[in-house]
Amino acid sequence: QVQLVESGGGLVQAGGSLRLSCQGSGRTFSTYAIGWFRQAPGKKREFVASISRAGATTSNPDSVKDRFIISRDNAKKTVYLQMNSLKTEDTAVYSCAAGLAWSMTDNEYEYWGQGTQVTVSS
């Protein structure tokens, strides 16, 4: 069992940066892979990035690779998503999720946070 709470969303201009946080709870936090997903109005939920239990990272090669960086600090039970060079199409609700192994598919994750809104203006 793990509980997740996202924070750090807000309004930012295109080209700017924003860092999201996924705060976890529970002694088993370090055993979970964490994924970030996003969903914009009228679009399906999209994989953004993930980090494994061992700290290996991956990102969506078609949309955010080389712009977004995922990291984790197990001492703080927190996973971060550093978003750089933001584009208007990055506007979405961003959610973090925990699973036993990383995946690009949302239904492979067991636990989800409530989401945080990111709005990128032109």
Side-chain angles (χ1 to χ4, degrees):
Q1 177 83 350
V2 63
Q3 295 178 338
L4 306 172
V5 179
E6 303 94 335
S7 63
L11 176 65
V12 63
Q13 291 187 354
S17 298
L18 202 63
R19 188 178 75 164
L20 305 183
S21 297
C22 175
Q23 178 68 57
S25 63
R27 62 176 295 174
T28 61
F29 176 81
S30 63
T31 70
Y32 288 96
I34 302 294
W36 282 98
F37 292 81
R38 67 186 185 185
Q39 187 167 26
K43 296 184 178 180
K44 294 182 178 180
R45 180 173 286 167
E46 178 186 38
F47 170 77
V48 177
S50 67
I51 186 164
S52 73
R53 298 178 301 278
T57 63
T58 190
S59 61
N60 191 322
D62 298 320
S63 57
V64 305
K65 190 174 180 64
D66 299 326
R67 296 193 299 119
F68 291 7
I69 302 171
I70 188 171
S71 62
R72 70 188 300 162
D73 185 339
N74 286 334
K76 297 180 179 179
K77 297 183 178 180
T78 303
V79 171
Y80 303 99
L81 183 67
Q82 178 66 47
M83 305 185 294
N84 301 315
S85 301
L86 284 163
K87 305 174 181 179
T88 56
E89 55 260 44
D90 294 321
T91 295
V93 174
Y94 285 72
S95 301
C96 64
L100 296 179
W102 83 270
S103 176
M104 298 179 69
T105 304
D106 55 5
N107 62 13
E108 296 293 331
Y109 292 86
E110 183 73 17
Y111 306 102
W112 290 80
Q114 85 287 355
T116 185
Q117 176 71 47
V118 172
T119 302
V120 184
S121 62
S122 60

